[in-house]
Amino acid sequence: MVGMIDYLSKRNDIPLYNGFDWFRTTKLDRIIYPPDVYLRYKLTGDENILKESFEKSIPEFKRFNIVEVDVDDVA
C-alpha cells in the first residue's frame, strides 16, 4: 500500500507523507512477481523472464520486493 501511495505521490508531484517512513524501511522476505510473469517463468524455466520483469518494475514497488510494471492497466 505504501508503494502505491509513494508511486501516486511521485506521479502527481505530491510530497511524500512522512508518517509512513517506518514502513519504507521494510520489505518482503522474497520477491513477489505478477502471476503471468511467474507462470511464464515456470513454463519455460527461463530466469531472464523474472530478471527483465524486475528491472522494468516501478521503483516504489520494487523497494518492497514487489514487482509491478503497470498499475494503470488492471482488468
Side-chain angles (χ1 to χ4, degrees):
M1 182 121 146
V2 176
M4 179 63 88
I5 291 168
D6 289 355
Y7 171 72
L8 292 173
S9 294
K10 177 182 172 186
R11 186 171 156 177
N12 293 293
D13 207 22
I14 298 170
L16 291 180
Y17 172 65
N18 63 3
F20 296 133
D21 283 350
W22 71 275
F23 277 116
R24 292 184 179 104
T25 63
T26 64
K27 64 180 178 179
L28 297 172
D29 292 335
R30 63 184 181 90
I31 300 172
I32 305 297
Y33 293 91
D36 63 315
V37 171
Y38 191 72
L39 181 59
R40 278 188 295 149
Y41 160 69
K42 289 304 261 183
L43 290 173
T44 64
D46 184 359
E47 290 192 17
N48 286 323
I49 292 170
L50 299 180
K51 183 180 176 185
E52 288 173 14
S53 183
F54 186 81
E55 289 172 0
K56 292 178 184 176
S57 183
I58 298 168
E60 290 79 11
F61 288 88
K62 192 183 331 186
R63 160 174 70 219
F64 297 104
N65 273 346
I66 300 170
V67 173
E68 185 59 66
V69 178
D70 185 8
V71 295
D72 294 317
D73 189 18
V74 178

